[in-house]
Amino acid sequence: MSTTSPINGGTRAPAWRRIAAWLIDWLLILILPLLLVPVGVAVYSAGLRLPVGLWNLISFLLLIAPVTLWCASRESGRFQATPGKRARGLIVVDAHSGRPIGFGPALLRNTAKIALPWELGHTVAYGFAAAGRNPPESLMVLTIVVYVIMFAWLGALFLPSTRTPYDLLGGTRVVSGSPTVTRP
């Protein structure tokens, strides 16, 4: 089945358009780490030494959670798309009805898409930083898990349905189209 076949709520979004949209979104998302890095450097330079787990928690609360919530808020309700998706002419819809999704499904979708792999990646990075020359085997296994998730998410875009595991989990589909205008 072609990625341009009609479905409820629009036509399936080709993988390359979804990838381009995600790259645009990441250019916007990178603003937050750029603002936070100087704060972290200042805290570290001031002599504050925190345990690795606490740094990981802080980065989750200040970086990963806000980005996940932002993307969920943009994909739910009247927007139906992050800025990258809008720029590429894509929207997120309910897979069955083709209608806009609520915040709950959008949050579930973006937790699986963004928060899970990003937090696992941070856990690996902080783990290797703390482990020195002898990282535990569990850290190596977690590294493999992170890469498997990333390649599964990316590879699923090229399947005939173009639905990723996070689309399936959220009951969503990304399609070509414009946001649905709801009138009172």
Side-chain angles (χ1 to χ4, degrees):
M1 182 180 284
S2 166
T3 58
T4 59
S5 62
I7 57 168
N8 288 342
T11 56
R12 288 186 177 99
W16 66 269
R17 283 180 60 197
R18 289 183 70 173
I19 293 168
W22 188 230
L23 291 174
I24 292 167
D25 287 335
W26 271 101
L27 288 176
L28 295 172
I29 290 167
L30 284 175
I31 294 170
L32 185 55
L34 287 174
L35 296 173
L36 291 174
V37 165
V39 174
V41 169
V43 167
Y44 189 81
S45 297
L48 181 62
R49 301 296 185 260
L50 301 174
V52 171
L54 186 54
W55 275 119
N56 198 7
L57 176 63
I58 291 169
S59 67
F60 178 82
L61 294 174
L62 294 180
L63 185 61
I64 299 170
V67 168
T68 302
L69 291 168
W70 176 72
C71 287
S73 71
R74 298 299 299 192
E75 290 180 352
S76 61
R78 66 184 177 99
F79 294 113
Q80 290 184 263
T82 58
K85 285 184 185 72
R86 288 182 74 115
R88 301 304 308 146
L90 305 175
I91 57 172
V92 180
V93 298
D94 180 274
H96 302 292
S97 70
R99 300 185 71 169
I101 61 172
F103 185 75
L107 182 59
L108 184 60
R109 178 182 193 279
N110 282 286
T111 297
K113 176 183 176 183
I114 299 168
L116 175 67
W118 197 354
E119 177 53 34
L120 290 176
H122 269 192
T123 300
V124 165
Y126 284 123
F128 276 113
R133 294 180 183 246
N134 297 316
E137 287 181 19
S138 60
L139 201 51
M140 301 302 286
V141 170
L142 189 56
T143 301
I144 293 167
V145 168
V146 170
Y147 280 99
V148 166
I149 290 171
M150 290 184 336
F151 285 118
W153 280 198
L154 183 62
L157 292 173
F158 295 95
L159 296 175
S161 74
T162 68
R163 288 184 72 200
T164 61
Y166 53 85
D167 285 321
L168 294 169
L169 186 63
T172 61
R173 183 177 302 281
V174 177
V175 297
S176 298
S178 298
T180 304
V181 178
T182 55
R183 300 180 201 276

